[in-house]
Amino acid sequence: MLTLERPAKIDTSGPDLRPHAVVIGSGFGGLAAAVRLGAKGYRVTVLEKLDAPGGRAYVHHRDGFTFDAGPTIITAPFLFEDLWALCGRKMSDDIDLRSVDPFYRLVFDDGEVITCHADPELMEQEIARVSPSDIPGYRRFMTRSREICAVGFEQMGHVPFLTLKSMIDAAPQLLKLGGHRSVYGLVSSFVKNEKLRVALSFHPLFVGGNPFDTTAVYCMISYFERNWGVHFPMGGTGALVNGLVGLIEGQGNSVRYGAVVSQILVENGVAKGVALADGETMAADIVVSNADAAFTYRNLVQASARKRWTDRKLENVRYSMSLFVWYFGTSRKYEAVDHHTILLGPRYKGLLDDIFQSKPLAQDMSLYLHRPTATDPSLAPEGCDAFYVLSPVPHLDAPIDWARVAEPYRKAIEARLSETLLPGLSDNLATSFVTTPQDFQDRLSSVKGAAFSLAPTLMQSAWFRPVNRS
Ligand SMILES: Cc1cc2nc3c(=O)[nH]c(=O)nc-3n(C[C@H](O)[C@H](O)[C@H](O)COP(=O)(O)OP(=O)(O)OC[C@H]3O[C@@H](n4cnc5c(N)ncnc54)[C@H](O)[C@@H]3O)c2cc1C
């Protein structure tokens, strides 16, 4: 794990004598690692297979609309601020980060709406409106969320868990706080109302986990939101990506696009560089892979150099769900729609079972609708709105032929949105394209097209996950 240090001075007068680090992938993880390595005095080359940076946070430009492909909710801005500080800069000089309030609205299948407010008092009023008897339990839940955050994030967030011992040392505290339970299980021990249970437990879906079997450590997200808020950068999440690339270039380092790494070169158990698909090889003192962890071990590291993450083990781990994402622009504005809306279907646990047990595509759906133009109208032409809607779906183990199913499924989503949040949608579409689980596999090199790599279950957390150093 790389720690915060003062910026290294770059001497541009002679040959570059800094040790060389290669970073595979320019997702947020790769860009952050590159900035940290640059600050430690490395000459860094980031190699990205796509034609632009960001990975899951890639930016699509279509017909005058700007679409962030993935992340839309920033809950820990200080983690980005650290990266700017490492370069002797202030993030606010480059990035205009705005608070989003309300955080989101949950629209239930029967039409009931629960609004998640930034203001704790308004939030309590909302809980009281839905279920007055759950107020004491809700308060206790928020206290527990803070306690989990204090241990799981503040104490352990920076621990790399390189050894089993570090995990065993951490376990008692997390178990005491309920880390062995599921998020839904812990929430349900505090509140009784079923809709509130949904509203307080859906967060693991943000990280690819089923609320019914993701470790309750992820209940910390509720406190994250309460304490640090929900944010969105003007210009879209892509502004953060571009800002990080600017930091890397400012360190005298570079990001190369269209550079597909085909192998991490290992000698005597130590990574010595990379081979690219076009035949080039590049020596390095340190290699960081920001590509999907399972893909990295399976495809980039020769089998003889792998002890723990064998093909067999990687086949038997549990992968996160995938996503179907429909990006679209409308020729009119939908002012009544907030920045973040969650439109729930008739089933919660049943739908999650279908998704996480890789069953055939369900007929019902729960959707997250992103309307970034609610915060930054410049992401669409004047008088228009940019949207994306995502539907959690099974990864590629499910018997679903996305080439055949994508358009009917998109149409079903369009119908659902037309009859609920976006009346007249079909007549107002200005641009439209989709991403399917197949794209997560083919474009982003995610094993099984899982949108969030290995699922965040207890037995796949910390040391049990592929750790940061091999
Ligand atoms: C639709 C969606 C919505 C999301 N919403 C949120 C949100 O609101 N808030 C949030 O915090 N998180 C969100 N997430 C999760 C977040 O996007 C990811 O956790 C994060 O972006 C992952 O970054 P990463 O750097 O680990 O990986 P990636 O972004 O996947 O980066 C990996 C990079 O490696 C490149 N690569 C792979 N193989 C090679 C190779 N062989 N050679 C060269 N390059 C290679 C890929 O092209 C890619 O650019 C969302 C994710 C999705 C998909």
Side-chain angles (χ1 to χ4, degrees):
M1 175 125 315
L2 303 164
T3 48
L4 221 68
E5 273 184 12
R6 294 184 68 74
K9 270 220 169 87
I10 304 160
D11 178 5
T12 49
S13 56
D16 196 335
L17 297 175
R18 296 177 292 170
H20 187 211
V22 163
V23 176
I24 305 165
S26 68
F28 274 130
L31 295 175
V35 170
R36 289 180 180 278
L37 285 162
K40 276 188 160 272
Y42 281 85
R43 172 170 68 90
V44 186
T45 311
V46 181
L47 300 172
E48 169 55 55
K49 70 181 259 202
L50 299 178
D51 61 354
R56 280 159 168 74
Y58 185 94
V59 181
H60 298 281
H61 298 279
R62 297 280 171 109
D63 302 318
F65 294 81
T66 303
F67 297 100
D68 287 313
T72 60
I73 297 172
I74 311 288
T75 41
F78 53 90
L79 293 176
F80 287 99
E81 282 159 6
D82 283 354
L83 298 172
W84 261 263
L86 278 171
C87 300
R89 307 264 309 273
K90 262 175 68 188
M91 183 168 95
S92 56
D93 290 341
D94 294 335
I95 307 290
D96 180 0
L97 205 59
R98 301 282 173 97
S99 299
V100 177
D101 187 13
F103 294 158
Y104 24 73
R105 267 186 228 287
L106 281 89
V107 181
F108 288 83
D109 202 46
D110 62 3
E112 176 155 13
V113 177
I114 295 183
T115 304
C116 295
H117 296 278
D119 180 346
E121 269 178 40
L122 278 180
M123 191 63 219
E124 281 207 2
Q125 284 170 23
E126 185 69 349
I127 302 281
R129 184 187 63 74
V130 178
S131 173
S133 60
D134 274 322
I135 279 284
Y138 168 71
R139 287 183 186 148
R140 286 200 306 276
F141 171 72
M142 288 310 293
T143 304
R144 178 63 65 88
S145 172
R146 178 168 54 73
E147 290 164 352
I148 293 175
C149 189
V151 178
F153 181 74
E154 287 164 22
Q155 267 182 46
M156 293 176 193
H158 62 285
V159 177
F161 291 109
L162 298 177
T163 60
L164 180 57
K165 183 178 177 308
S166 57
M167 173 107 196
I168 292 169
D169 290 347
Q173 269 180 296
L174 287 176
L175 293 181
K176 207 173 127 203
L177 293 169
H180 56 294
R181 306 181 75 160
S182 72
V183 166
Y184 182 86
L186 192 69
V187 165
S188 300
S189 69
F190 289 103
V191 296
K192 299 277 170 289
N193 180 282
E194 198 46 46
K195 284 178 179 151
L196 288 183
R197 287 178 172 178
V198 173
L200 297 173
S201 74
F202 73 89
H203 299 82
L205 289 163
F206 287 168
V207 292
N210 181 347
F212 290 86
D213 68 9
T214 296
T215 160
V217 172
Y218 284 92
C219 286
M220 73 164 86
I221 300 177
S222 296
Y223 180 69
F224 254 77
E225 290 176 348
R226 158 69 59 85
N227 199 37
W228 288 291
V230 164
H231 306 270
F232 186 73
M234 297 302 274
T237 312
L240 272 173
V241 172
N242 291 336
L244 292 175
V245 171
L247 293 183
I248 292 165
E249 289 171 350
Q251 292 172 317
N253 294 322
S254 59
V255 184
R256 258 174 68 180
Y257 303 105
V260 183
V261 173
S262 55
Q263 202 185 348
I264 296 173
L265 304 171
V266 180
E267 281 172 32
N268 301 321
V270 178
K272 290 289 182 188
V274 293
L276 278 75
D278 65 5
E280 182 183 347
T281 57
M282 195 177 278
D285 298 283
I286 184 169
V287 177
V288 174
S289 178
N290 169 234
D292 179 68
F295 177 87
T296 297
Y297 278 106
R298 223 165 66 163
N299 300 70
L300 301 184
V301 183
Q302 66 207 59
S304 60
R306 288 190 264 148
K307 287 195 192 114
R308 192 168 162 209
W309 297 100
T310 58
D311 287 356
R312 193 154 152 216
K313 175 149 175 131
L314 288 168
E315 191 50 42
N316 290 329
V317 297
R318 285 168 66 192
Y319 288 88
S320 73
M321 85 286 192
S322 193
L323 299 171
F324 180 91
V325 195
W326 176 32
Y327 306 87
F328 60 96
T330 55
S331 52
R332 57 159 283 198
K333 280 195 165 292
Y334 286 91
E335 298 287 8
V337 178
D338 288 303
H339 193 136
H340 304 291
T341 308
I342 291 157
L343 182 62
L344 291 144
R347 299 182 302 152
Y348 187 49
K349 184 170 187 313
L351 180 60
L352 291 167
D353 284 347
D354 286 356
I355 293 169
F356 284 89
Q357 291 167 17
S358 297
K359 295 193 181 156
L361 194 58
Q363 295 299 307
D364 56 332
M365 52 182 75
S366 282
L367 304 171
Y368 157 65
L369 181 68
H370 183 223
R371 179 177 170 249
T373 34
T375 301
D376 184 355
S378 78
L379 297 170
E382 210 173 327
C384 302
D385 264 335
F387 288 95
Y388 85 50
V389 58
L390 71 76
S391 176
V393 293
H395 62 54
L396 291 173
D397 273 358
I400 303 168
D401 174 4
W402 283 104
R404 193 177 56 76
V405 166
E407 180 53 15
Y409 195 59
R410 186 203 65 73
K411 280 212 164 111
I413 293 176
E414 183 182 318
R416 175 111 178 90
L417 290 175
S418 295
E419 69 204 21
T420 51
L421 302 168
L422 306 176
L425 174 59
S426 310
D427 297 330
N428 289 288
L429 279 177
T431 189
S432 157
F433 60 101
V434 301
T435 286
T436 71
Q438 195 64 47
D439 297 316
F440 277 97
Q441 177 169 274
D442 299 345
R443 201 176 133 78
L444 289 164
S445 306
S446 298
V447 170
K448 296 182 192 281
F452 306 86
S453 196
L454 272 65
T457 59
L458 187 61
M459 291 312 288
Q460 296 191 164
S461 295
W463 181 80
F464 293 117
R465 277 182 106 70
V467 293
N468 287 353
R469 191 169 69 206
S470 179

